[in-house]
Amino acid sequence: MDPNNPGPEEYGRDGDAHAPRQRPPRESLASDFGQPAPVLARTAQLVSGDFLLTVNPVDGSEIEPCPPAERPARPVKLTEAERAETDQAARPPVPPGPSRPELPLTARQDEREKLLRLLARGRSVRLSGPAGSGRTRLLDAVAEDCADLAPDGVVRLDGHRRSADDLLYDLFHAVYSAPLHRPGRDELAECLREVGAVVVVDDLGFGGAALDELLDATPECAFLLGATPDVPAPSADSAVEEVVLDGLDRAAGLDLLARAVGRDLTEDESNWAGDLWFESEGLPLRFVQAGALLRQRDRLRAGTSAVDEFGVFEDVWPGDPADEAPADAAEGDEIPLPSLGEAAAPAPLLAARLSASARATLRFAVALGGELPHQAHLPALVGDTHADAALGELAACGLVAPAGSRYRLAAGVPAQLEAAGYADGAQAQARTAAQHYAWWAGHSSVTPERVCAEADAVLAALAVVAPLASAAGEGEEDVAVQLARTAAPAFAAGLHWSAWERTLRAGAEAARLAGDVAEEAYFHHELGIHALCVGELDRARAELEASVGLRGAVADKRGTIAGRRALALVSDRSGIPAALAPTAGDEVPEARHEESASPPRGVPMAFPELRPPTDTGLVVHHTTPVPVVAPEAAPKAGVGLKGLARRNLVAAGAGALLVAVLGTVVTLGATSENDPGTPSENVGVNPSASQGADDGSLGADRRTEKGGDTGDATSRPADPGPDGTLGTSDDPTPTATESGEASADPSDTEPTDDSTTTPATPSPSSSSPANPSTTKPSAPTDKPTDPTEEEPTDEPTDEPTTPTTNPTEDYTPPPETSASASGPASSTPTRTEPGASGSASVPQSSEAGTPSSSGTAMI
């Protein structure tokens, strides 16, 4: 059957089905060949003491009190199989390539038995010896002897650049199963009291009080500590036994050299080894490296015929004239032994006879301060797919030594390689390693545990490139900032918190040098979170305030909100309200709108936020509001309990002042209602006339027989004229005082605006002259009247108006006794518009004979 033309029996039924439609060809610019979708940032949620920590590599980690539902159960101990896996992970990997037989432990049987006896009694022992004395090899041998000595077995820890707290947490995770859980100090101490194991710690870097803290926290453990003589000794009260490891004697040195070469030594080689023993003071490392020199000499003596036949040494000399083999090597002549100086510092000579990949690996190790990258990273760093085999070459020559779960350059090798020129271009090598680790640590397939295993090499690369950080171009990021940005979240999620802190500090310095404010704010935020988790509240507040200030400068609203939430938690733990601890960055008003989205379970506040008094429903006029000081405007000097007391005092004083003002207003209102003579309560917009006591006319003039409107008493002339009859055409024109005189009742005290006043309906008390020709236009006033010049009073005027019993008699009103709001009337009479209501009201009186009406002006 043709695979390109399938028949009906393959895809159809009963032979009558048609073949499926051929799939259309792919286009070169199809969408599925475009850029892949961006990978989401990896977040991790773990429990640290009483906190629930969410490691967010984008905006910064978020922290909140751990709710009871999220709190993990009590940790349980690992099983025997799980302990075996943990112990295997703590050992260095086996180098690739052909394995060489392991050298036996020579002339160390006495020390081995002594250490075993002390540990069997439950005593802790400190094994001190110089670098290269075989201390690590002896610790491994004793650990194998103590496998069944303690109920929890043997726990191997690496003390290189580790503190006492780091070792306590490493011991906890080596014995207990607690993924993503970092217990608090109390819980940690409770769990470690139940651990009974032989703890082997190599490369211990502290002593004294720190070592006492480590021993006191684990009373059921016996420690086997390896340290160099320059490390501080244990305290006198620690009861730690001291065992000193010396060099080998001459016979043991020659025996070790013969085992390293794999054959018996010649007489010349034995004499040469005797001189080496005297110079190196019997350090085993020197004999291991001397054995590698003799093996290389034997290969050189084999000649080029063996190389042509087997082809296994073709890359020994890659073309460097200084590294070429002697010209007579092909003839099988004798190769001289290395000089004593070369045997005392054999690293350059050994490296010169290695492969190109091995030498490139040494350059990276020198650039990283002696830290050797894992063998899986060597092909990418070196550029050779078989570069991982370089680790086997270096280990066989004694140039590298195991250190915990990794390898480092052996003692004295870094200085020897630097003198040989391997440190040239170290910054470029370190930058290459930093770029590789930045890509690798941020890859989605790399777990935090793998990043933590490579922590020493990552930190070494970061330590070299961080001080060299500079402002990058547009759209670029400094390699040191990028490495710290990707490695720090992995260290946090992997619970390697000492590496997390060191990465954050190096990243903050690199971001400052590069001028990257946003990244610098991120590192300060993470440092504050780390300090909060370890209980350093003062440092946490300082780091978080710096972060909020920097994020406010770049308008990072999400990061600002995360920082403020963490500050609220710091205030809750320290007892100082966050409102009284103003931080920089409060000038970002846009972030306020997003603060309503609280954390999943909220952040408790130590004290409620102070607010002004609520509205009481009373309207107070003409009162000066008391200014309320916003929390952001509070001075920094008020932070603390003193600031809290001062703010409470200000709030109490403002409340007392407000209560006093409200009480005064209520009192004045109550007393004014009980006073029947209050002028403002007796006059309305259209005041009504009161009924007289004698005539029941409600104070209005009776309609005359001839009809017509009644006029106002203040607008009727008092002089009847020559004919003696009021209302005739010969009556004199009213004077300005008479026409402008208003009622003594100060009801119309509010000033009116002619442009906004609406004409009112004429009232019976208004003056309406029948002859418009007798009304003169009023002169404009010089200035607007002030309604507060004359206050209304209930006291009678100095010259009360005498009741007029005879309307024919002359009546002269008292001069300037007007109580109107406009003050004394001007000398010019005011023109009254037809149909407009007068502004003066008729004085009301209950006495008989009081003039309550006036005659009507007749034409």
Side-chain angles (χ1 to χ4, degrees), residues 24-400:
R26 290 181 179 267
E27 297 181 3
S28 59
L29 299 179
S31 59
D32 52 353
F33 285 99
Q35 293 294 333
V39 180
L40 297 178
R42 294 180 301 169
T43 60
Q45 194 173 63
L46 52 94
V47 177
S48 174
D50 298 335
F51 301 112
L52 181 64
L53 177 63
T54 302
V55 180
N56 184 2
V58 179
D59 301 319
S61 301
E62 297 183 3
I63 188 171
E64 58 179 327
C66 184
E70 299 291 339
R71 190 172 298 278
R74 180 178 176 81
V76 296
K77 291 185 177 181
L78 299 174
T79 61
E80 185 176 355
E82 293 174 340
R83 287 203 308 267
E85 295 179 0
T86 304
D87 182 73
Q88 183 63 31
R91 297 186 180 187
V94 178
S99 59
R100 292 188 55 82
E102 185 177 0
L103 297 177
L105 189 62
T106 304
R108 299 298 187 191
Q109 188 63 27
D110 294 341
E111 291 85 353
R112 184 175 182 176
E113 294 178 355
K114 182 178 181 180
L115 293 174
L116 183 59
R117 288 195 304 268
L118 293 174
L119 293 174
R121 298 174 185 174
R123 306 292 297 274
S124 295
V125 189
R126 182 176 184 261
L127 179 64
S128 61
S133 60
R135 185 186 63 250
T136 301
R137 183 69 184 87
L138 180 59
L139 291 178
D140 293 340
V142 175
E144 295 176 359
D145 298 338
C146 300
D148 300 331
L149 195 60
D152 292 328
V154 178
V155 179
R156 301 173 188 265
L157 301 178
D158 182 22
H160 181 66
R161 296 181 179 178
R162 306 286 282 176
S163 62
D165 289 342
D166 295 335
L167 293 180
L168 289 176
Y169 280 103
D170 291 345
L171 177 60
F172 169 80
H173 288 288
V175 177
Y176 288 93
S177 175
L180 299 178
H181 181 204
R182 191 175 190 270
R185 299 293 301 179
D186 296 338
E187 186 179 2
L188 176 65
E190 182 180 357
C191 293
L192 291 180
R193 291 192 193 99
E194 302 176 0
V195 176
V198 176
V199 184
V200 180
V201 183
D202 195 9
D203 292 331
L204 185 68
F206 58 87
L211 182 58
D212 294 341
E213 179 184 356
L214 176 64
L215 299 177
D216 295 341
T218 55
E220 300 298 328
C221 293
F223 283 84
L224 178 58
L225 309 172
T228 55
D230 57 342
V231 176
S235 60
D237 300 334
S238 61
V240 176
E241 298 289 339
E242 184 78 16
V243 175
V244 180
L245 195 62
D246 298 327
L248 302 176
D249 55 11
R250 180 187 177 91
L254 293 178
D255 182 58
L256 179 60
L257 179 60
R259 292 177 180 273
V261 178
R263 58 176 178 82
D264 295 336
L265 299 177
T266 62
E267 183 178 359
D268 294 339
E269 293 173 344
S270 299
N271 297 332
W272 175 78
D275 298 337
L276 178 63
W277 172 84
F278 180 81
E279 191 275 336
S280 63
E281 298 180 356
L283 292 179
L285 178 62
R286 293 290 183 268
F287 291 98
V288 173
Q289 295 172 347
L293 288 175
L294 293 181
R295 289 198 306 270
Q296 290 179 350
R297 178 170 174 268
D298 291 342
R299 288 197 298 268
L300 292 175
R301 293 173 60 187
T304 56
S305 59
V307 175
D308 295 338
E309 181 179 357
F310 298 101
V312 294
F313 303 117
E314 57 185 6
D315 59 345
V316 171
W317 300 286
D320 190 352
D323 299 336
E324 292 181 358
D328 55 351
E331 302 176 359
D333 295 342
E334 185 70 19
I335 302 298
L337 289 171
S339 63
L340 186 59
E342 293 175 340
L349 183 58
L350 288 173
R353 296 172 178 176
L354 296 178
S355 63
S357 298
R359 291 198 301 273
T361 302
L362 288 176
R363 292 185 181 275
F364 276 104
V366 172
L368 298 180
E371 298 292 340
L372 189 68
H374 192 271
Q375 59 191 20
H377 299 279
L378 294 180
L381 293 174
V382 175
D384 184 6
T385 56
H386 301 286
D388 56 342
L391 178 61
E393 297 184 53
L394 299 176
C397 294
L399 295 179
V400 297

Side-chain angles (χ1 to χ4, degrees), residues 648-685:
N648 291 341
L649 182 59
V650 172
L657 178 58
L658 183 59
V659 170
V661 172
L662 293 178
T664 303
V665 173
V666 173
T667 303
L668 292 177
T671 56
S672 62
E673 292 177 359
N674 297 329
D675 187 5
T678 305
S680 61
E681 300 294 336
N682 298 331
V683 180
V685 178

